[in-house]
Amino acid sequence: MTSMDMTQGRGISVSVVLRLVLLAVVAGLAVAPVWAGRSDLRLLMEVFSFLALAQMWNLLAGYTGLISVGQQAFVGLGGYLFFALAMFAGLPLLIAIPAAAIATAVIAVPTGWIAFRLQGPYFAIGTWVIAEVFRLSAAQIGALGGGSGISLPVALAKSLADSRGGREMVMYYIAFTIGIASVLMVWGLLRSKWGLALTAIRDSEPAAEAMGVATRRVKFMIYVLAAFWTSLTGGFVFLQKLRITPDAAFSLNEWTAFVIFIVVIGGIGSIEGPVIGVVIFFALREVASDWGTWYLIMMGGIAIAVMLVDKRGVWGAIRARTNLSIFPVTKVLD
Amino acid sequence: MATILSLSNVNKNFGALTVSDDVTFDMPEGQALGIIGPNGAGKSTLFNLIGGTLAVSSGTVQFAKQDVTRVPAAERCRMGIARSFQIPHPFVGMSVYENLLVASSFGNSGHHDAKAECRDILDRTGLLPKANRPAGSLTLLERKRLELARALASGPKLLLLDEIAGGLTEAECHELVETIKGIRDSGVSIIWIEHIVHALTAVVERLIVIDFGKIVAEGEPSKVMADPLVQEIYMGISVDDTAA
């Protein structure tokens, strides 16, 4: 009993230290344009994008048990709808991105209606097929460049800011906002009444249903929310790239496989997991990016190794041994 | 007394297998009803049909004068049907208290003060010292108590208890019987599936015996247990259980 209490006490104080460290890192990142070079900023923008994608995939798979391998559908839709709204509807870029995400969320409703007829592995394959349908459809739209894609007109890109440095600064803060807000949103959600429902579904769907949680409706809402935020990220990603093609926009590897790697390595079913996973993923990528194919083989090897050693991932393994919690969601009866 | 639950000609088939065979019974509000029968007789299936986890193949289920035959499980819980699972399904990643909060937030919540309500239930079920522990760290017996506590937190009018006394010592069993009597006396209708007949008969005023999905006997517990057919079925269970 006493030793248990002591670990608990130490756990809490270490948690506080970790929280302060994280806060300092975020504060540092908030002023990154001051200290970071151009290529560092570009890397950080990618980090934030993947952080948001990972938080969304984790919310979906880690809490509601919906294993989607078709989230690239929403990245691609976000990108394409953003281009279309900016180029043809004349919306300002900063409005076109969220507008595209709202449109994607609307599209996610019938898409989810179809995908939700399928269970477990069939759902996974179904989402993949749906994403392929969107990819093939995008390639048919001549106005958006068909299969070879399209670039964002220079004049539009310049509407963000006149100078290149200015544009990069604006883009950096969009990425920063999308990434950090994804974590805060998930945290807020998990601390609310709906967090209780989501965590209950994660742990036992039949029991959650029997305790009055309309599991199907909750899962659907999360599916649409994840589509929205994934699309928001997608819109930003292609603003940064300034060019979109069906293959890049609806890439399974880039927008889903890497994201699954991040969540699984970091620790599925927690807020901390995807954060840790993103750091590990980019650290590995920076070290090994010029190894060619070996880099992907190494990634696969690491994923298998983590599964064998502790399938709960890095944070899951830490969590099982300590009481650490950076983003506490627990409700305490005092 | 008003009827709280009414099953009419309820059937459930899995392919050629009939697990509920023309089950019909009415239950007055406030009654404590026991269900016994051999393993595989279809007792838990009956709970799944009443709770909405399974859909009936034919027949109707009425709860509090409303036809709930097509109503999903979550909605039935919000109407006041709560259940415990025979094999405990705790939310292992949440604390014991949070397990109750789920039920109290989404169930038939008329709780003005969910925290006080949960504390009271944890106290009555002996789980208060473990309130802030992860449910995954509980022993099997504690998990069974959590099943009861969580079902209570949803604010039930009808409580379905599925073999929560199995594996308890005599003293623990006695304690549980007292707890369930207390719940019954607070006006909650109870259906209790249990193999431990003396625990059951200490609480219930009516007994239903199920065999091969059919109701084969029902009535006042002492009379039902004296029925030669029931004795045969029930002795059969005892012999099998000892052999196993």
Side-chain angles (χ1 to χ4, degrees):
Chain A
M1 198 65 196
T2 8
S3 73
M4 190 74 185
D5 289 346
M6 275 170 65
T7 39
Q8 211 154 10
R10 195 170 61 221
I12 286 163
S13 63
V14 176
S15 294
V16 170
V17 171
L18 283 176
R19 243 167 266 161
L20 290 173
V21 169
L22 191 67
L23 209 58
V25 170
V26 172
L29 290 172
V31 294
V34 177
W35 54 264
R38 192 160 269 168
S39 66
D40 293 335
L41 279 187
R42 204 165 298 140
L43 176 67
L44 286 173
M45 287 188 232
E46 258 194 287
V47 171
F48 287 128
S49 304
F50 273 91
L51 177 60
L53 294 177
Q55 285 293 348
M56 290 307 116
W57 195 84
N58 177 50
L59 196 57
L60 210 53
Y63 286 90
T64 68
L66 293 168
I67 310 286
S68 165
V69 290
Q71 291 308 95
Q72 67 274 22
F74 304 124
V75 173
L77 278 172
Y80 265 102
L81 288 169
F82 158 61
F83 270 50
L85 289 172
M87 289 167 66
F88 307 130
L91 288 184
L93 298 188
L94 292 183
I95 299 203
I97 292 178
I102 291 169
T104 303
V106 171
I107 295 171
V109 172
T111 306
W113 187 80
I114 295 168
F116 272 59
R117 328 249 102 209
L118 306 168
Q119 306 286 325
Y122 301 97
F123 175 83
I125 302 298
T127 54
W128 188 1
V129 170
I130 289 166
E132 283 300 292
V133 169
F134 283 125
R135 181 178 68 84
L136 295 169
S137 306
Q140 297 306 311
I141 302 171
L144 288 165
S148 50
I150 197 166
S151 296
L152 199 67
V154 180
L156 272 180
K158 284 199 169 151
S159 72
L160 268 187
D162 290 328
S163 69
R164 188 171 163 190
R167 280 197 294 279
E168 275 171 355
M169 181 120 105
V170 172
M171 285 195 205
Y172 178 80
Y173 282 110
I174 298 174
F176 179 82
T177 307
I178 290 176
I180 300 296
S182 75
V183 178
L184 295 178
M185 181 187 66
V186 172
W187 192 19
L189 186 68
L190 290 179
R191 285 173 67 88
S192 75
K193 176 182 161 177
W194 297 104
L196 284 172
L198 283 171
T199 316
I201 292 171
R202 176 193 71 184
D203 289 349
S204 170
E205 199 172 329
E209 177 78 25
M211 292 306 127
V213 179
T215 53
R216 206 185 138 82
R217 200 178 315 155
V218 172
K219 287 161 81 171
F220 201 89
M221 274 161 36
I222 294 300
Y223 179 81
V224 173
L225 175 69
F228 172 80
W229 208 274
T230 301
S231 170
L232 200 64
T233 313
F236 166 74
V237 163
F238 289 96
L239 166 66
Q240 196 198 349
K241 289 187 191 291
L242 297 173
R243 178 168 176 76
I244 194 164
T245 66
D247 289 347
F250 296 95
S251 163
L252 169 72
N253 248 349
E254 189 87 3
W255 311 126
T256 300
F258 287 159
V259 169
I260 295 177
F261 176 90
I262 288 168
V263 174
V264 166
I265 296 293
I268 194 166
S270 67
I271 304 173
E272 292 87 347
V275 178
I276 293 171
V278 162
V279 174
I280 295 174
F281 174 75
F282 279 95
L284 288 173
R285 212 186 69 172
E286 288 309 294
V287 170
S289 55
D290 43 4
W291 295 3
T293 319
W294 284 105
Y295 151 68
L296 287 173
I297 294 173
M298 179 194 69
M299 292 283 208
I302 288 173
I304 293 169
V306 168
M307 289 300 97
L308 291 176
V309 174
D310 194 329
K311 64 183 161 94
R312 292 167 296 192
V314 172
W315 184 254
I318 293 173
R319 195 69 231 255
R321 289 164 183 81
T322 64
N323 282 302
L324 293 182
S325 175
I326 300 173
F327 301 99
V329 294
T330 320
K331 293 181 175 59
V332 178
L333 183 71
D334 39 43
Chain B
M1 263 297 183
T3 304
I4 184 125
L5 181 74
S6 172
L7 270 63
S8 321
N9 310 103
V10 166
N11 286 289
K12 179 66 188 176
N13 312 309
F14 293 112
L17 184 70
T18 301
V19 279
S20 286
D21 190 354
D22 206 29
V23 174
T24 299
F25 69 86
D26 283 343
M27 182 181 171
E29 201 175 332
Q31 188 172 68
L33 167 70
I35 297 183
I36 61 168
N39 292 325
K43 304 185 295 296
S44 293
T45 301
L46 202 56
F47 270 14
N48 286 333
L49 296 173
I50 297 169
T53 307
L54 288 176
V56 301
S57 300
S58 67
T60 56
V61 180
Q62 275 198 322
F63 175 70
K65 298 202 166 54
Q66 293 182 60
D67 187 345
V68 295
T69 313
R70 302 279 158 226
V71 173
E75 183 57 35
R76 289 193 208 188
C77 176
R78 287 195 288 274
M79 294 172 76
I81 304 180
R83 68 174 298 183
S84 75
F85 287 89
Q86 184 186 354
I87 299 160
H89 280 34
F91 304 128
V92 289
M94 306 172 97
S95 73
V96 169
Y97 168 56
E98 287 174 312
N99 268 258
L100 270 65
L101 268 187
V102 172
S104 119
S105 307
F106 292 92
N108 177 33
S109 51
H111 309 311
H112 309 291
D113 185 353
K115 200 171 212 174
E117 181 89 27
C118 290
R119 187 197 310 276
D120 176 52
I121 292 168
L122 287 169
D123 193 29
R124 278 193 296 168
T125 50
L127 286 169
L128 197 52
K130 306 262 177 175
N132 294 317
R133 289 290 170 81
S137 72
L138 297 184
T139 65
L140 178 61
L141 296 183
E142 288 166 341
R143 284 172 189 225
K144 291 209 167 201
R145 275 193 259 161
L146 177 58
E147 284 291 323
L148 173 62
R150 197 174 57 183
L152 283 175
S154 74
K157 294 181 193 143
L158 172 63
L159 182 61
L160 309 173
L161 300 174
D162 199 348
E163 292 192 27
I164 56 167
L168 297 185
T169 65
E170 199 58 34
E172 287 165 336
C173 192
H174 181 74
E175 216 176 292
L176 180 70
V177 163
E178 291 308 310
T179 308
I180 296 173
K181 274 183 182 166
I183 297 164
R184 180 196 63 191
D185 295 342
S186 72
V188 177
S189 312
I190 296 173
I191 307 182
W192 186 5
I193 294 175
E194 195 54 78
H195 279 311
I196 301 166
V197 177
H198 69 86
L200 199 56
T201 50
V203 176
V204 303
E205 60 232 52
R206 180 178 165 205
L207 206 54
I208 285 182
V209 186
I210 293 184
D211 197 15
F212 293 107
K214 250 182 171 17
I215 295 183
V216 292
E218 69 168 301
E220 206 242 312
S222 60
K223 283 187 189 138
V224 169
M225 291 313 292
D227 184 330
L229 177 68
V230 174
Q231 289 211 326
E232 192 195 313
I233 294 169
Y234 193 69
M235 293 312 277
I237 304 167
S238 315
V239 173
D240 283 352
D241 281 357
T242 329

